[in-house]
């Protein structure tokens, strides 16, 4: 008779553990690989448009990139190739604008945000988003 409460408690603990194991929070992917990215002037378009180019990077392979210029209120979504390289469509951007960049992996996992200042042809450096 004394064992019955312990058995019930053990079963309840096992069920609770199973429920919690199925609902563990996911850890976001690292932010974009900034040394592999650069802003360029958009060729053959009106002034004030830029593109973001990504060099091959295994971190970015087959990823969907989100790029949003907070100063201009404009951005783009693009997909990287199998080697991680990409060039976005042109979007409004001015020197010194704050730009938010993140990506989704092919499995649907979201990366951490990276915010950078837009400088055409210069290395990207992470800054505070807000």
């Amino acid at each position: 008779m004394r064992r019955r409460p312990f058995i019930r408690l053990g079963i309840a603990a096992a069920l609770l553990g199973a429920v919690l194991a199925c609902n563990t929070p996911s850890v976001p992917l690292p932010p974009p690989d900034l040394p592999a990215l650069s802003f360029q002037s958009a060729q053959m378009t009106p002034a004030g448009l830029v593109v973001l180019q990504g060099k091959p990077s295994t971190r970015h392979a087959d990823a969907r990139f989100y790029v949003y210029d907070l100063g201009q209120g404009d951005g783009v979504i693009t997909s990287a190739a199998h080697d991680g390289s990409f060039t976005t469509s042109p979007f409004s951007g001015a020197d010194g604008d704050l730009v938010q960049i993140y990506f989704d992996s092919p499995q649907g996992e979201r990366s951490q945000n990276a915010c950078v200042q837009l400088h055409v042809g210069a290395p990207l450096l992470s800054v505070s988003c807000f």
Side-chain angles (χ1 to χ4, degrees), residues 33 35-37 53-61 80-86:
D33 183 10
L37 306 176
Q53 290 183 330
K55 297 176 188 170
S57 170
T58 55
R59 187 184 305 175
H60 302 157
H82 294 306
D83 66 357
S85 63
F86 65 91

Side-chain angles (χ1 to χ4, degrees), residues 31-39 52-53 55 57 59-60 65 99 101 113-116 122-127:
D33 183 10
L34 295 182
L37 306 176
S38 65
F39 291 104
L52 179 66
Q53 290 183 330
K55 297 176 188 170
S57 170
R59 187 184 305 175
H60 302 157
F65 268 83
V99 179
I101 306 168
N113 289 329
C115 286
V116 298
L124 302 186
L125 300 174
S126 182
V127 297

Side-chain angles (χ1 to χ4, degrees), residues 13-93:
L15 288 173
L16 180 62
V19 168
L20 292 176
C22 293
N23 291 319
T24 56
S26 62
V27 177
L29 297 173
D33 183 10
L34 295 182
L37 306 176
S38 65
F39 291 104
Q40 302 297 325
S41 296
Q43 299 297 318
M44 299 172 32
T45 61
L49 295 179
V50 296
V51 297
L52 179 66
Q53 290 183 330
K55 297 176 188 170
S57 170
T58 55
R59 187 184 305 175
H60 302 157
D62 297 313
R64 178 180 295 144
F65 268 83
Y66 301 84
V67 183
Y68 185 70
D69 186 308
L70 297 166
Q72 303 292 319
D74 194 14
V76 293
I77 300 171
T78 196
S79 295
H82 294 306
D83 66 357
S85 63
F86 65 91
T87 299
T88 66
S89 298
F91 62 96
S92 299

